Amino acid sequence: MVRFIAMLVGIAFAGVLAIALFGSISGVITEPPPPTAEHEFHKHPRDLELASDGPLGKFDMRQVQRGMQVYKEVCSACHSLRLVSFRDIKDMGYSDGQVKAFAASYDNIPSINPDTGEAATRKGVPSDRFPSPFANEVAARAANNNALPPDLSLMAKARHEGPAYIYSLLTGYQNQPAKLLKEFPDAKTPAGLHYNPYFANLNIAMAPPLTADGQVTYTDGTKSTVDQMAKDVAAFLSWTAEPKLQARHTVGFAAMLFLLVFCFLAYGAYQNVWRNVKH
């Protein structure tokens, strides 16, 4: 009797869920939600081809180095790289001396004065991580119109089509289209925000960081257009998100080659063992 009652309760519960699901689906079909500005004008990231793309991709270290220069001179004013150490850039082709010099170029590493015990700052050493430009989240929001600049260490992996998204976002600032304001009068970009169709809600608190060609003077002589700088910093953030990508690709290729040879050997062994057995 108890089992029968429990079965009836289960059937009734499943029936209620089915009715609710049917009602929701029919409601969406008969009365679809009204279009929104975000749905109509949000753009898919532009195509970006990097040397690291594909299963056998390798980083273009010259481009990654240029991207780090863009990060240091432009992006580091607001964004941190808290998961990247100075010594990690040795994998980008720098010598130990260059790594030490680069680390020492940062003289704002938080420290403690051993004589007074008070907070102080010092020059960086290779074991330090890239410092945050702000003391804490409160200071970061106070300096950015209450918006919190995200850490960029894993940004290329945290966003769908990360490198292309970063590149598109940096080059996508523009005035609001007249068509948008005509169809959605209430979608005017609020004061303090900036229209960017590659951002999820179209309006982003970050002002355009790359504003003019030549903003960064590349040490290798490459012409630093806005488009080039955006591509380079996207490549650099791809590296910070997955610095061991090349090693992973190498190991993966070797593993696939081994499995292919193993399959042929296993098939040959099978044929040899069962060669005298009649089917």
Side-chain angles (χ1 to χ4, degrees):
M1 186 65 180
V2 175
R3 289 185 178 180
F4 179 72
I5 295 175
M7 184 180 298
L8 289 179
V9 171
I11 293 174
F13 182 71
V16 171
L17 289 179
I19 294 172
L21 179 61
F22 176 77
S24 300
I25 295 175
S26 62
V28 171
I29 295 175
T30 57
E31 298 181 9
T36 63
E38 292 83 356
H39 180 268
E40 295 292 325
F41 289 88
H42 178 61
K43 293 184 179 181
H44 188 272
R46 297 162 57 191
D47 291 335
L48 175 65
E49 294 184 4
L50 296 176
S52 56
D53 294 341
L56 300 179
K58 294 184 178 181
F59 288 114
D60 179 351
M61 288 307 178
R62 289 186 61 186
Q63 183 177 38
V64 173
Q65 291 175 7
R66 292 196 303 268
M68 185 175 71
Q69 187 178 350
V70 175
Y71 166 78
K72 183 179 180 182
E73 297 185 21
V74 180
C75 309
S76 64
C78 297
H79 297 277
S80 59
L81 283 178
R82 60 183 178 83
L83 299 181
V84 184
S85 299
F86 292 130
R87 61 188 172 194
D88 293 335
I89 70 172
K90 185 177 180 180
D91 294 338
M92 292 166 47
Y94 291 107
S95 65
D96 289 333
Q98 289 174 316
V99 172
K100 290 180 180 179
F102 181 83
S105 67
Y106 286 83
D107 58 3
N108 60 336
I109 305 299
S111 181
I112 299 294
N113 188 317
D115 298 324
T116 64
E118 297 180 349
T121 57
R122 58 171 174 79
K123 289 187 176 182
V125 296
S127 60
D128 290 322
R129 295 183 176 182
F130 280 74
S132 172
F134 305 105
N136 52 42
E137 180 178 333
V138 175
R141 290 186 180 278
N144 292 277
N145 195 27
N146 203 38
L148 179 64
D151 180 82
L152 298 182
S153 303
L154 302 176
M155 188 57 65
K157 302 291 285 186
R159 296 291 184 269
H160 178 61
E161 297 188 64
Y165 167 79
I166 293 168
Y167 165 67
S168 301
L169 187 73
L170 292 175
T171 57
Y173 289 88
Q174 57 188 263
N175 294 324
Q176 279 190 301
K179 182 179 179 181
L180 184 151
L181 295 176
K182 182 179 180 180
E183 295 183 13
F184 303 94
D186 296 334
K188 183 177 177 59
T189 298
L193 300 183
H194 307 271
Y195 179 76
N196 193 316
Y198 298 101
F199 193 64
N201 66 1
L202 306 181
N203 300 307
I204 185 171
M206 179 176 70
L210 302 177
T211 55
D213 295 347
Q215 187 173 345
V216 173
T217 302
Y218 284 137
T219 56
D220 65 357
T222 300
K223 187 176 181 180
S224 57
T225 63
V226 169
D227 189 77
Q228 184 65 54
M229 289 185 289
K231 289 179 179 178
D232 293 343
V233 78
F236 171 64
L237 294 179
S238 296
W239 178 84
T240 64
E242 196 168 8
K244 302 301 182 183
L245 176 139
Q246 293 181 192
R248 180 171 61 80
H249 283 178
T250 300
V251 172
F253 178 76
M256 293 301 295
L257 183 61
F258 168 79
L259 290 175
L260 182 62
V261 173
F262 177 78
C263 287
F264 281 107
L265 292 176
Y267 180 75
Y270 166 79
Q271 293 291 335
N272 184 61
V273 170
W274 297 96
R275 67 183 184 278
N276 296 322
V277 177
K278 293 184 179 181
H279 296 286

